[in-house]
Amino acid sequence: MSRLFGHVIRHRKLVTAVVLLALTAWGGRAWLTELRETGLSFWGEHVEVLALIGILQACDIFLDGIVWWGLLRAAGYDMSPARAGLVFLAGYAGLLAPVQLGRLVRPIELNRAGDVPVAIGVMVEALLLAFSGCAGVVVLGAALLWPRIGWLAPLCALVVLAGVACVCRYTVILEILTAGCLPGLRRHFVLWAVVFLTPAGWLLNGCSLWLVSGREGAGVSLWELFAVAPSNMIIGALSGMPGGIGAVEAWLGTMLSLLGTKTNTLVNEVLLFRLMTFWIWIPIGWIAQWWLWRGANGGMSRDHARETS
């Protein structure tokens, strides 16, 4: 067993590539099967929508990347923006790994690219996931309250987010949750950025869904789609399936159908949304990972992170 483990460690780059490639091939095969059933004419008619959603999702990824980089700096490690961007994007190569195991890609790459301890990388990922989940619940709650209290709903959401930030800033709960790995985060300005920027990602996802099913479909209101977008997170997590494949599509289809989307365009709209918010980022993650791994000696060029006091 120890010899096998030693072989895995020595060839960890190859093992990582094989596992991620197998997961990508498995998931891609399922998506291509559904794509053949929808026909290509629908996609040709929605090039403009694809481009607009692509812009929104790029903004979403950019905001997530800024938050992730800020958490890394708050942990005491600095890395050039270009290198940090590549490591962040490489994490999307593991989107198809089950039960969030794909989030281990970034800690591993951080350790290789910048000598950041894997434990720190895992903690940063856990914090990003936790704050994103909290933001999703706040956006979902505000969207559900919108038809009852109107503009008071986003105001209540801001109050809740400010409360979360204050609890993290003025209590020791954050240090307890991070096991003391990020002692400076409580007093770092990035804490406020994390709390107030992560909800923007869910709003951008809601806008993307509106472009697909609201503007192009049955005129579903934006606030309803703001509620549907974060609910995908819950369904995908509960399903345990890699990337929530099958469960998320079924949930989206059911919710859009209940909201009045036309049956003859429903499958196409779900596939279009998932393409731009999920599938397209997997090959981008692969490209980023290849870029990190490139080098004359077959290894990864290094950009050592420096500890900041």
Side-chain angles (χ1 to χ4, degrees):
M1 182 63 71
S2 59
R3 180 177 297 180
L4 175 63
F5 185 72
H7 282 296
V8 170
I9 293 299
R10 280 197 300 274
H11 303 286
R12 58 189 179 276
K13 186 188 297 186
L14 177 62
V15 172
T16 302
V18 169
V19 171
L20 292 178
L21 182 60
L23 290 169
T24 302
W26 172 79
R29 181 173 174 270
W31 187 83
L32 288 173
T33 299
E34 295 177 340
L35 177 62
R36 284 197 300 270
E37 294 173 357
T38 62
L40 297 177
S41 59
F42 174 85
W43 300 89
E45 297 168 358
H46 290 75
V47 173
E48 178 189 353
V49 175
L50 285 168
L52 289 173
I53 295 177
I55 293 172
L56 290 178
Q57 290 306 305
C59 293
D60 179 20
I61 299 300
F62 176 77
L63 288 177
D64 279 351
I66 291 294
V67 168
W68 177 83
W69 189 37
L71 287 172
L72 189 64
R73 290 172 63 88
Y77 293 89
D78 195 9
M79 184 177 285
S80 69
R83 177 66 64 181
L86 284 172
V87 174
F88 181 77
L89 288 175
Y92 290 101
L95 277 178
L96 285 170
V99 292
Q100 300 292 331
L101 288 177
R103 289 186 175 272
L104 292 175
V105 172
R106 288 190 195 117
I108 292 171
E109 295 305 329
L110 276 175
N111 183 254
R112 291 172 178 164
D115 290 340
V116 179
V118 173
I120 296 294
V122 170
M123 191 59 65
V124 168
E125 288 295 316
L127 281 174
L128 183 62
L129 180 62
F131 279 112
S132 179
C134 180
V137 172
V138 171
V139 170
L140 176 60
L144 294 176
L145 288 173
W146 174 266
R148 295 171 177 80
I149 61 176
W151 285 102
L152 285 176
L155 181 61
C156 290
L158 289 174
V159 171
V160 171
L161 291 173
V164 171
C166 288
V167 168
C168 293
R169 170 65 178 85
Y170 297 108
T171 70
V172 296
I173 187 170
L174 200 58
E175 293 180 358
I176 294 174
L177 293 176
T178 58
C181 292
L182 282 76
L185 179 59
R186 266 204 312 140
R187 295 173 296 277
H188 203 285
F189 73 91
V190 76
L191 173 63
W192 298 90
V194 172
V195 172
F196 286 100
L197 283 181
T198 45
W202 294 113
L203 298 178
L204 289 170
N205 271 277
C207 291
S208 298
L209 196 52
W210 177 79
L211 285 172
V212 172
S213 188
R215 193 186 73 163
E216 296 292 326
V220 182
S221 62
L222 187 57
W223 72 264
E224 291 175 313
L225 297 176
F226 279 157
V228 173
S231 67
N232 293 333
M233 166 193 68
I234 301 172
I235 299 300
L238 292 177
S239 71
M241 294 295 292
I245 294 176
V248 170
E249 285 80 2
W251 175 256
L252 274 175
T254 301
M255 294 305 298
L256 293 179
S257 178
L258 291 174
L259 292 174
T261 300
K262 299 175 183 178
T263 306
N264 59 337
T265 61
L266 183 60
V267 174
N268 294 337
E269 291 170 3
V270 170
L271 286 178
L272 192 154
F273 178 74
R274 286 286 276 172
L275 169 68
M276 299 307 295
T277 60
F278 180 78
W279 289 104
I280 197 172
W281 297 102
I282 296 174
I284 291 175
W286 271 99
I287 293 171
Q289 192 153 46
W290 168 80
W291 195 272
L292 286 170
W293 285 357
R294 71 188 179 92
N297 60 354
M300 184 196 319
S301 56
R302 302 182 67 83
D303 182 13
H304 292 282
R306 61 182 183 277
E307 292 195 21
T308 57
S309 54

